[in-house]
Amino acid sequence: VQLQASGGGLVQAGGSLRLSCSASGGTSSRYLMGWFRQAPGKEREFVVGIRGSGGSTFYAESVKGRFTISRDNAKNAVYLQMNSLKPEDTAVYYCAAGRTNPIASVVVTTTPYDYWGQGTLVTVSS
């Protein structure tokens, strides 16, 4: 399975970006999909996740109300709409896919994600 993230860039605070993640090589609409981010000098952190079947979503508190995840199973793609961006959102954003659909407390960790994309850089200027 290969994941390709795109859509990052430089944006001013308050602006918006839409990240895309295209999957190939045997992904399933049942896969758990997620976005993580890693800022310079910090650990990778969970941003948002979406289950395959049913499409339940999970958001980090820091992005609730500003970010929205969606998926298009026909296109094997996942999207992250990011609005009201803040300088603290600056990071490399990674998409990830998992073959299982664990409980919520595990969804927000890196544990259930088997495949990772290469990352796309988002820079938010103040």
Side-chain angles (χ1 to χ4, degrees):
V1 173
Q2 294 82 42
L3 302 176
Q4 180 72 40
S6 61
L10 174 64
V11 63
Q12 288 188 331
S16 298
L17 279 175
R18 187 189 192 219
L19 305 185
S20 299
C21 176
S22 297
S24 61
T27 56
S28 167
S29 60
R30 295 190 300 274
Y31 278 22
L32 171 70
M33 300 296 296
W35 287 95
F36 287 74
R37 67 186 181 187
Q38 188 166 17
K42 295 188 177 181
E43 293 187 354
R44 189 169 299 189
E45 65 173 2
F46 172 82
V47 178
V48 60
I50 184 168
R51 292 196 190 282
S53 302
S56 298
T57 56
F58 308 84
Y59 291 89
E61 285 296 326
S62 59
V63 306
K64 277 184 179 178
R66 301 188 298 122
F67 290 13
T68 303
I69 189 172
S70 61
R71 65 190 298 164
D72 185 335
N73 289 329
K75 295 182 178 180
N76 287 327
V78 176
Y79 307 100
L80 180 60
Q81 179 66 44
M82 305 186 296
N83 299 327
S84 302
L85 283 161
K86 305 175 181 180
E88 51 264 43
D89 294 318
T90 294
V92 176
Y93 284 70
Y94 298 89
C95 66
R99 293 169 292 177
T100 61
N101 276 280
I103 59 175
S105 60
V106 179
V107 168
V108 302
T109 72
T110 59
T111 299
Y113 299 92
D114 304 294
Y115 311 104
W116 293 83
Q118 86 290 358
T120 184
L121 177 63
V122 172
T123 303
V124 184
S125 63
S126 57

